[in-house]
Amino acid sequence: MSDCLVVGGGIIGLSLAYELSRRGMTVTLVEQGEWGGQASSAAAGMLAPLKEFTAPGPMLDLGMESLALYPEWAAELEELTGGDVQLSLEGLLTVALNEEEVQQLADKYRWQKEAGHAVHWLSNTLQVKEIEPLLTDQVQAAIYSPYEGHINNRMLLRALATACQLQGVKLLSGCVVSGIAVKGGKVVGIETSTGSLRAEQTVIASGAWVGMMLEMLGVSVPIRPVRGQIAAVSSVGIPLRTVIFGTTGYITPKKDGKIVIGATEDESGFQREVTMAGLASILQGTMPYVPALHSATFLEAWGGLRPATQDGKPLLGPVPGWEGLSIAGGHFRNGILLSPVTAKSMADFVEKGETERLLPFLPARFL
Ligand code: FAD
């Protein structure tokens, strides 16, 4: 019997299991496939709340809080595991190629500046190309955000799995959860392909599959899969300095010699394959920003299922009416960014029953 069972070994489940074990709790983490084998390894690893959240509010606050946690979180994981996670918070550009985009970007810059965020307005081609010389001459303006960036999410997943192991988390991969065990109205654990597991608390962190899991109790949770198709090309001969976001795609130069380009958002149920249309949209959506990409060597393309919710906010906290059961899911496009803050605020709930930080995100808003 553990203090806590975490279902789902993606970035959210691994981060939470690690945080709980750091706090001295006994934790079992259950994953049906490989650690991080779904959305979490498909991601581009962008840590970009100011780009992602288009208005002030709880999501931007959560994203900024998580970004601020990243340097210490990454350093601690690197020290514990001896592995690099390639955190790079060296800035990014959101660019405009025409007058309409310039207006939209200028509006965004205005409220971000008024709210005190560290952003700079670059008002002409020359200024933008000083930051990133490989950008197209068509670029007219940009927001430069010097403290956002990216991480190698696959290396982060490996570090988290190792850290969990070192902290004594019971790690069960290849173990499919098939039921939620209830006794006297309280959730007491789960049924799996390898037997029953019992715990004081059970947290469902199974990404796009959270809804399916809760259906086992007859509870309907609005989390659905939204496919993201994404690709990588070689950076040989294309010495990009900065992450670039445009309205039709993003371009991320990684430290491992790859440039990650993406990504589609398409509804395809639980299919995560790459389609010709998806690949075409990635290529057509990114090449206009960096003409040098036309000659890049294509390396690979892949897909993943983002866990999307109706209101764009994750579901974090207890499931009403089911003592001992909570959810940490629905992070949509930002699960990598939001993993440290999710781990810490969910651990505060599991360990101490605290829900204050979770208030805007409680599953109760749908149940
Ligand atoms: P997952 O990683 O999907 O993990 C859930 C796990 O639960 C899976 O491993 C699954 O096998 C397991 N599971 C499901 N059912 C069961 C069961 N019955 N029994 C046992 N285990 C089960 N986010 C960012 O912050 N920055 C980005 O740049 C970024 N880019 C992205 C690009 C793409 C193309 C995609 C697809 C996503 C991107 N995201 C990004 C979003 C991010 O990947 C997700 O929000 C995040 O990975 C969700 O993590 P998770 O742990 O909730 O889900």
Side-chain angles (χ1 to χ4, degrees), residues 170-249:
K170 188 171 176 193
L171 291 167
L172 302 175
S173 59
C175 177
V176 184
V177 176
S178 53
I180 297 178
V182 181
K183 198 172 172 190
K186 183 183 183 311
V187 169
V188 292
I190 51 174
E191 306 305 332
T192 79
S193 51
T194 55
S196 303
L197 294 167
R198 295 292 176 260
E200 283 298 319
Q201 307 227 33
T202 301
V203 182
I204 307 297
S206 53
W209 294 265
V210 166
M212 244 181 227
M213 203 77 66
L214 270 288
E215 262 167 34
M216 294 173 183
L217 292 176
V219 176
S220 175
V221 172
I223 293 185
R224 69 180 199 286
V226 172
R227 179 168 58 184
Q229 301 178 55
I230 183 166
V233 298
S234 166
S235 66
V236 172
I238 310 175
L240 273 171
R241 296 178 186 166
T242 314
V243 176
I244 299 162
F245 281 100
T247 47
T248 57

Side-chain angles (χ1 to χ4, degrees), residues 255-276:
K255 287 185 177 174
D256 62 359
K258 290 180 183 165
I259 300 174
V260 173
I261 55 175
T264 68
E265 261 182 38
D266 55 279
E267 307 256 349
S268 58
F270 284 89
Q271 304 291 315
R272 59 170 184 156
E273 290 76 15
V274 175
T275 62
M276 292 293 276

